[in-house]
Amino acid sequence: MGSEILWFLAVLALITAGESKKSVGGTCHPNDLKGLRSFKAGIHSDDSGRINKWIGNSCCEWDGISCNNITGRVTQINLPGFITTDDAPLQAYMYGSISPSITLLSNLEVVDLSGLVGLTGKIPSSIGFHLPGLRKLSLWGNHIEGPLPESIGKLSKLEELCLNENSLSGFLPANLGNLKALRRLDLHSNRFSGAIPESIAKLTSLESLSLQNNLLTGDIPGKIGDLQALKELDLSNNSLTGKIPSSITKLKAVSIIYLNDNQLVGEIPTFLGPDQMPCLGFLRLNNNRLTGRIPYSFGHLSSLQRVSLANNELEGPIPSSLGDLRSLTELYLNGNKLSGRLPSSTSLLSQLIMLTLSNNMIEGPLPHQMASLRNLQMLDLSFNRLNLSTIPKWLLKLPSLSRIYLADCKIQGELPEDLRATPSALQELDLSANHLSGKIPEWIGSLTELYSLNLSVNFLAGEIPSSVTKLASLGVLDLHSNKLSGSLQRVFQVESRFTTGRSLASLDLSDNNFTSGIEQIGMGSQLEIQHINLSHNFIEGRLPDSIGRLETMKSLDLSCNNLDSALPPLLANASSLETLKLRKNHFTGKIPSEFLKLRKLKELDLSDNFLEGKIPFGRPLINFPRGSYSGNKGLWCTSGSL
Ligand SMILES: *[C@@H]1O[C@H](CO)[C@@H](O)[C@H](O)[C@H]1NC(C)=O
Ligand SMILES: *[C@@H]1O[C@H](CO)[C@@H](O)[C@H](O)[C@H]1NC(C)=O
Ligand SMILES: *[C@@H]1O[C@H](CO)[C@@H](O)[C@H](O)[C@H]1NC(C)=O
Ligand SMILES: *[C@@H]1O[C@H](CO)[C@@H](O)[C@H](O)[C@H]1NC(C)=O
Ligand SMILES: *[C@@H]1O[C@H](CO)[C@@H](O)[C@H](O)[C@H]1NC(C)=O
Ligand SMILES: *[C@@H]1O[C@H](CO)[C@@H](O)[C@H](O)[C@H]1NC(C)=O
Ligand SMILES: *[C@@H]1O[C@H](CO)[C@@H](O)[C@H](O)[C@H]1NC(C)=O
């Protein structure tokens, strides 16, 4: 760490060498000295050691300080916490409060105290009156609080205002609109509330406007289209309402528009011609309440690369003009009410990598021309009105496809053997909620790259084939609600072998016909499982001590089985448990007092067993309602029997 800091300082010296310090070896202007000393006094920890060396009166020589070589006045405070170089990024921390006396440095042009993590305090309310020359104010990535002062509007030379990732609050002052020189306004991830002032449309030099992750309400300013220099617009994750102003389509220079995660209503505006937004590459309108159709004119946005219109209330067919978006790599239309067939022009999207259309009302058949989508890696058509019967042959021949989601597509019959011979090794396969029948085939074990397999809610029967032990990459296995049977003993031998590769994180075998015991649970070497659901089966025998070895397990559901014997005290070793459901089994004996160690437990259900005795007194066990313990042989707590 020490040598890193030295190197850091060397880099800093190089960076600041640009500003000449020649003619200013002497004593600094008294106001500058006073301001800097007050600033230093407010900082109680600076792990870069830069401020500790601020000694004497020649403040222009100090680390991070630059002066005007004629007037000798301080023009820059440059102490960013984060420096990226070709070699490695360095992070310096500074803790303390920014002194309001910083306004004594009346010739300041640049203040960069960004990314220091630990700076608190407020932006001095008189900043606009005292620092008329300020061009850049960068305080992002700290804990600055309070409002953005009204006087900010007086900083007519301000080009960059980056206060993102702090704890600022209050309304955005209307006179922000006076900052005619402003090129970058970044206030994201604060707690600003109220409306975005209309005056913001007067910032005609603005190239980047980032107000995401705040609590802003009201409409998007109607004249937003006046921001003719704007390249990036991010207003996402606020509570903005009203329509998307049609003027937005006049943003000639814009390449990024993110309006997602708000409460916007109305229709997507019309895009008049192919040249209207020639640079728009990234568009997110997802998670709003937009209605109407996707306008045919959408096809004019010919530079679009990534688009999400997901989770709105869009209806009608997907316009065939979408095929004109030849640069498109990602398209998310899931969670709408889109209907009709997928247009055959979809096949013209030759750059397409991700296509998500799930949860709409799209009908079949799928256009076979889609066979030409050479770059498609992920396809999600789940939960539509597709009646595929079988997975189309061309689909399993797509050269790049490795993530397939076809839940509820009315696919029938056995798991098609074509799945083992796809050109790209399968990584994710979801054929849940179909009409699959027969057994899970032995060849499933040849899908060695498979990370997630969801065959839940089908009519699969028989045992899980032993070849699943070969699925070394498996992280998620969901086979719930089938008619699978046989011994789980084997499944857990399997499960312990999974962990030699990537660790299995989630296992759902609930609502099947599995029998026998689970003595092998937790016997794997380095189990990192988080979720186990074996409920609604016919599992017998006891819960073994080894279950306590599942230290990362957050939820365990063994409800509705035939497990018996006492609850193992060592279950309390599974200290990450948040959800524990053992309802409707035949467990006997007392609740082990060790269960008081399950400090993270938020949900507990021990009802309908044969448990008896006193419920161990203390948290978390006293937090749960009576229902968590009801239907047992005789459980009581200190205040009386249940
Ligand atoms: C003084 O600073 C200006 C602007 O930074 C620079 O152009 C000029 O060369 C400097 N003069 C001297 C003598 O260093
Ligand atoms: C949305 O903004 C809130 C703060 O207003 C933040 O806590 C949350 O993480 C943000 N969500 C996302 C997805 O960025
Ligand atoms: C789906 O297709 C099958 C076979 O073509 C047909 O029997 C069935 O009625 C169709 N179901 C629906 C909901 O259209
Ligand atoms: C598997 O599919 C079912 C039904 O489509 C769904 O409810 C479940 O969340 C999926 N499982 C996982 C692990 O994503
Ligand atoms: C376990 O599966 C059952 C049946 O599939 C389901 O009802 C239950 O909610 C699941 N438990 C947890 C903790 O998710
Ligand atoms: C499930 O198991 C029960 C008891 O073992 C058996 O009676 C039943 O026939 C099985 N059902 C199916 C669909 O395999
Ligand atoms: C259970 O945890 C205790 C310490 O919390 C440890 O000493 C013991 O070895 C653990 N037992 C098992 C079986 O993991």
Side-chain angles (χ1 to χ4, degrees):
M1 189 67 201
S3 66
E4 266 177 24
I5 288 173
L6 282 179
W7 184 75
F8 173 89
L9 294 175
V11 170
L12 198 76
L14 282 174
I15 288 169
T16 48
E19 287 270 322
S20 173
K21 297 174 179 178
K22 281 177 212 150
S23 58
V24 289
T27 297
C28 283
H29 190 280
N31 279 1
D32 287 351
L33 264 182
K34 198 172 169 200
L36 287 174
R37 283 177 181 150
S38 300
F39 175 76
K40 180 179 176 177
I43 305 301
H44 52 80
S45 156
D46 165 26
D47 77 348
S48 72
R50 288 174 288 186
I51 290 191
N52 269 344
K53 290 188 281 175
W54 285 9
I55 297 162
N57 296 331
S58 308
C59 71
C60 296
E61 318 258 285
W62 294 352
D63 271 334
I65 303 301
S66 305
C67 297
N68 180 300
N69 55 16
I70 296 160
T71 64
R73 294 298 303 265
V74 172
T75 55
Q76 303 204 6
I77 302 179
N78 251 311
L79 296 167
F82 199 65
I83 295 190
T84 29
T85 66
D86 290 343
D87 298 321
L90 289 169
Q91 167 77 60
Y93 297 89
M94 201 182 277
Y95 293 90
S97 180
I98 299 181
S99 165
S101 303
I102 203 159
T103 52
L104 288 169
L105 297 139
S106 56
N107 286 36
L108 273 178
E109 293 169 18
V110 172
V111 176
D112 188 347
L113 297 168
S114 60
L116 291 161
V117 180
L119 289 183
T120 57
K122 296 182 175 177
I123 299 171
S125 59
S126 60
I127 189 166
F129 300 106
H130 297 303
L131 306 180
L134 207 57
R135 288 185 287 111
K136 170 176 172 177
L137 179 59
S138 184
L139 302 174
W140 63 262
N142 283 294
H143 279 106
I144 316 281
E145 53 191 19
L148 184 58
E150 281 282 334
S151 75
I152 203 96
K154 301 245 181 269
L155 298 173
S156 60
K157 294 193 174 150
L158 202 60
E159 293 166 17
E160 229 179 289
L161 182 59
C162 297
L163 305 174
N164 43 298
E165 296 156 274
N166 277 293
S167 306
L168 295 161
S169 55
F171 294 167
L172 300 179
N175 61 12
L176 266 180
N178 298 345
L179 304 177
K180 288 288 153 46
L182 205 60
R183 285 189 284 111
R184 184 184 170 97
L185 177 58
D186 193 342
L187 304 177
H188 87 256
S189 302
N190 278 288
R191 289 182 214 132
F192 288 115
S193 54
I196 302 173
E198 279 286 339
S199 63
I200 216 151
K202 292 194 287 178
L203 301 175
T204 48
S205 306
L206 203 62
E207 292 171 13
S208 172
L209 176 59
S210 306
L211 303 177
Q212 71 271 25
N213 305 345
N214 278 290
L215 307 167
L216 298 168
T217 52
D219 292 5
I220 298 172
K223 289 188 172 167
I224 190 119
D226 292 354
L227 299 176
Q228 286 295 302
L230 202 65
K231 294 178 182 156
E232 298 180 17
L233 174 64
D234 193 342
L235 306 178
S236 64
N237 191 21
N238 280 288
S239 299
L240 299 171
T241 49
K243 294 186 177 184
I244 300 174
S246 58
S247 79
I248 206 163
T249 63
K250 289 195 268 169
L251 294 172
K252 272 227 159 1
V254 82
S255 65
I256 296 178
I257 297 182
Y258 293 161
L259 304 178
N260 52 290
D261 295 277
N262 279 292
Q263 290 149 33
L264 300 170
V265 297
E267 303 199 358
I268 297 173
T270 305
F271 307 94
L272 290 179
D275 302 325
Q276 200 177 19
M277 300 177 90
C279 309
L280 188 62
F282 304 92
L283 178 64
R284 291 189 196 152
L285 303 178
N286 51 297
N287 299 64
N288 280 292
R289 293 188 207 136
L290 301 173
T291 50
R293 297 174 169 223
I294 300 175
Y296 191 82
S297 65
F298 209 79
H300 287 146
L301 302 173
S302 55
S303 299
L304 276 181
Q305 293 174 41
R306 295 190 202 159
V307 178
S308 181
L309 306 178
N311 302 319
N312 280 291
E313 291 158 30
L314 300 170
E315 58 189 22
I318 296 173
S320 60
S321 61
L322 230 59
D324 297 341
L325 305 177
R326 299 299 164 80
S327 306
L328 210 58
T329 58
E330 294 178 26
L331 178 62
Y332 304 92
L333 300 177
N334 51 295
N336 282 290
K337 296 178 193 161
L338 299 169
S339 57
R341 290 186 186 177
L342 197 55
S344 56
S345 61
T346 311
S347 61
L348 301 174
L349 303 173
S350 59
Q351 306 298 311
L352 203 62
I353 295 171
M354 314 264 274
L355 177 60
T356 301
L357 296 170
S358 55
N359 293 290
N360 279 291
M361 301 182 315
I362 310 280
E363 288 160 24
L366 295 171
H368 61 88
Q369 292 92 332
M370 283 174 76
S372 65
L373 295 176
R374 301 193 53 80
N375 290 302
L376 196 66
Q377 294 173 14
M378 204 275 257
L379 177 63
D380 188 350
L381 300 173
S382 301
F383 298 103
N384 275 287
R385 293 191 178 159
L386 292 168
N387 190 354
L388 296 182
S389 300
T390 55
I391 305 177
K393 291 268 182 221
W394 58 262
L395 196 153
L396 295 178
K397 289 189 183 137
L398 286 171
S400 306
L401 196 65
S402 61
R403 298 157 68 195
I404 303 177
Y405 289 82
L406 296 173
D408 188 25
C409 289
K410 313 280 186 303
I411 298 167
Q412 305 168 3
E414 302 201 353
L415 212 54
E417 194 157 357
D418 292 356
L419 285 167
R420 64 191 290 195
T422 54
S424 275
L426 282 181
Q427 293 171 7
E428 294 168 23
L429 179 63
D430 183 348
L431 298 177
S432 63
N434 279 296
H435 300 295
L436 293 173
S437 55
K439 292 184 168 186
I440 298 177
E442 196 67 40
W443 56 254
I444 199 92
S446 64
L447 305 178
T448 51
E449 309 269 306
L450 200 62
Y451 170 73
S452 120
L453 178 63
N454 192 345
L455 301 176
S456 66
V457 199
N458 276 293
F459 300 96
L460 296 166
E463 300 199 13
I464 296 178
S466 60
S467 66
V468 282
T469 53
K470 300 197 188 110
L471 295 175
S473 307
L474 203 62
V476 178
L477 180 61
D478 189 347
L479 303 177
H480 85 263
S481 300
N482 278 288
K483 295 175 177 172
L484 298 166
S485 59
S487 162
L488 271 172
Q489 209 66 352
R490 185 158 156 204
V491 176
F492 275 97
Q493 281 160 10
V494 167
E495 194 252 330
S496 60
R497 293 248 227 117
F498 287 151
T499 59
T500 54
R502 212 151 153 186
S503 174
L504 190 67
S506 175
L507 176 69
D508 191 347
L509 302 177
S510 65
D511 191 19
N512 275 292
N513 227 4
F514 291 110
T515 49
S516 93
I518 48 171
E519 247 89 89
Q520 305 262 347
I521 200 167
M523 294 305 274
S525 45
Q526 21 134 255
L527 288 172
E528 284 167 33
I529 202 152
Q530 301 200 359
H531 305 284
I532 297 181
N533 194 343
L534 305 178
S535 70
H536 298 86
N537 279 292
F538 300 93
I539 303 169
E540 298 170 348
R542 54 184 205 95
L543 194 53
D545 284 347
S546 52
I547 188 103
R549 296 170 62 185
L550 303 178
E551 286 173 13
T552 53
M553 182 169 59
K554 289 185 181 157
S555 84
L556 176 66
D557 192 344
L558 301 173
S559 311
C560 304
N561 279 294
N562 300 327
L563 290 161
D564 56 28
S565 305
L567 296 173
L570 276 173
L571 177 56
N573 271 28
S575 55
S576 305
L577 266 183
E578 292 171 10
T579 301
L580 176 61
K581 299 198 166 183
L582 303 176
R583 185 175 75 91
K584 273 205 171 180
N585 277 286
H586 307 147
F587 289 114
T588 55
K590 294 183 170 182
I591 299 175
S593 59
E594 284 82 356
F595 278 23
L596 294 172
K597 287 197 298 187
L598 294 170
R599 300 317 283 258
K600 295 191 177 154
L601 208 58
K602 293 192 191 87
E603 254 190 298
L604 175 71
D605 196 346
L606 301 177
S607 64
D608 300 320
N609 279 290
F610 300 110
L611 299 168
E612 57 191 324
K614 181 169 172 277
I615 298 171
F617 184 75
R619 260 179 261 197
L621 298 184
I622 53 165
N623 295 344
F624 301 108
R626 275 161 183 260
S628 296
Y629 302 105
S630 64
N632 276 289
K633 205 169 167 187
L635 281 175
W636 47 278
C637 53
T638 7
S639 61
S641 92
L642 281 167

